[in-house]
Amino acid sequence: MIELRTPAEIEQMRPAGRFVADVLAATAAAAKEGVNLLELDRLAHDMIRSRGAESCYIDYHPSFGASPFGKVICTSVNDAVLHGLPHDYRLRDGDLLTLDFAAAVDGWVADAAVSVVVGTPRDEDLRLIDTTRRALAAGIAAAQPGGRIGDISAAIGAVAHAEGYSVNLQFGGHGVGRTMHGDPHVANDGRAGRGYPLRPGLVIAIEPWFLQTTDEIFTDPDGWTLRSADGSRGAHSEHTVAITEDGPLILTAP
């Protein structure tokens, strides 16, 4: 079911958005060469406890997950692009790391993701990350009242295709509110003018993610981490966005 939020409820979602942005900023800053992914998870967990927030991930067990996630942040490294389960791995120079985090504050959820390079970057990684960021900006710009979900999808896909990337449609954006994942689905490619109407009060996560040389993925033996089929690297950018009478409002802006 798709739920529309009142202006007052959207205001109540702002603290969750700010908190998610703060956690991503802190974990991204801490992601240095030699740092263990489990240390990043502990940092996020400590911030959740200090804020009195609630993790959206630790008990999360959808049909595509092998078991409850058990951690509070997704850490996807190199050929991993989504749902990266934190494990005993120390970051290395040149690693491409995506951090994806969702949490609830006072019962309202926000969800966002960033990709960063640890240490010395590769040009192709910077280009990939930049493409996801520009695709996110294009999708947000298309999230106008009176439009359609397809407008967002088409805007994201156009940026990806212009850079020569193919787009996987298995996972994309989604509704956000009292729970992390709701309707409508927001694909990362599509046709403008189609899909659910963009009405004021709709709150969605917009999240372009691309792989360098494929759009095929497989699930790691850990039962969660999604990796590229050919070993190429992935990047992912995401914001929680409210549709308002005045246009899109980014709730997870830093």
Side-chain angles (χ1 to χ4, degrees):
M1 182 176 68
I2 297 174
E3 298 182 89
L4 301 180
R5 304 300 174 186
T6 66
E9 287 175 326
I10 290 173
E11 285 300 309
Q12 291 167 14
M13 296 182 75
R14 284 184 183 269
R18 286 194 294 269
F19 175 67
V20 166
D22 288 346
V23 170
L24 286 176
T27 50
K32 307 294 186 183
E33 187 176 355
V35 171
N36 197 300
L37 297 180
L38 295 174
E39 294 177 65
L40 298 179
D41 184 71
R42 281 195 293 272
L43 172 58
H45 211 154
D46 288 345
M47 293 181 72
I48 288 171
R49 282 194 290 263
S50 295
R51 180 61 176 81
E54 182 179 350
S55 170
C56 291
Y57 288 169
I58 196 162
D59 295 322
Y60 187 51
H61 190 188
S63 59
F64 57 81
S67 60
F69 190 73
K71 298 291 188 288
V72 301
I73 192 168
C74 293
T75 55
S76 302
V77 181
N78 296 334
D79 65 320
V81 66
L82 294 175
H83 309 161
L85 185 64
H87 59 285
D88 185 13
Y89 174 84
R90 293 194 177 277
L91 292 168
R92 302 170 183 171
D93 184 52
D95 277 347
L96 198 170
L97 170 68
T98 293
L99 298 162
D100 190 353
F101 181 71
V105 174
D106 299 326
W108 293 105
V109 172
D111 187 4
V114 297
S115 290
V116 298
V117 175
V118 177
T120 309
R122 303 179 183 181
D123 289 343
E124 60 267 31
D125 290 346
L126 295 178
R127 175 173 168 259
L128 181 65
I129 293 170
D130 179 66
T131 302
T132 66
R133 290 173 178 169
R134 289 189 293 107
L136 176 58
I140 292 170
Q144 299 293 335
R148 298 269 180 173
I149 287 290
D151 300 343
I152 299 172
S153 300
I156 292 170
V159 173
H161 296 310
E163 293 296 330
Y165 298 119
S166 56
V167 180
N168 179 291
L169 298 179
Q170 292 171 262
F171 295 92
H174 49 87
V176 180
R178 292 293 189 180
T179 59
M180 177 172 58
H181 286 149
D183 293 327
H185 175 69
V186 186
N188 286 325
D189 199 8
R191 295 181 63 180
R194 296 193 173 189
Y196 186 79
L198 298 175
R199 299 186 175 102
L202 182 66
V203 182
I204 53 177
I206 301 175
E207 50 176 314
W209 61 275
F210 310 132
L211 299 163
Q212 286 173 337
T213 57
T214 185
D215 58 10
E216 298 294 326
I217 55 176
F218 71 94
T219 303
D220 187 90
D222 67 15
W224 274 100
T225 304
L226 297 179
R227 298 185 181 276
S228 68
D230 64 358
S232 63
R233 294 183 171 202
H236 176 196
S237 296
E238 177 181 12
H239 273 311
T240 295
V241 179
I243 311 298
T244 77
E245 295 281 2
D246 299 322
L249 174 65
I250 303 173
L251 295 173
T252 48

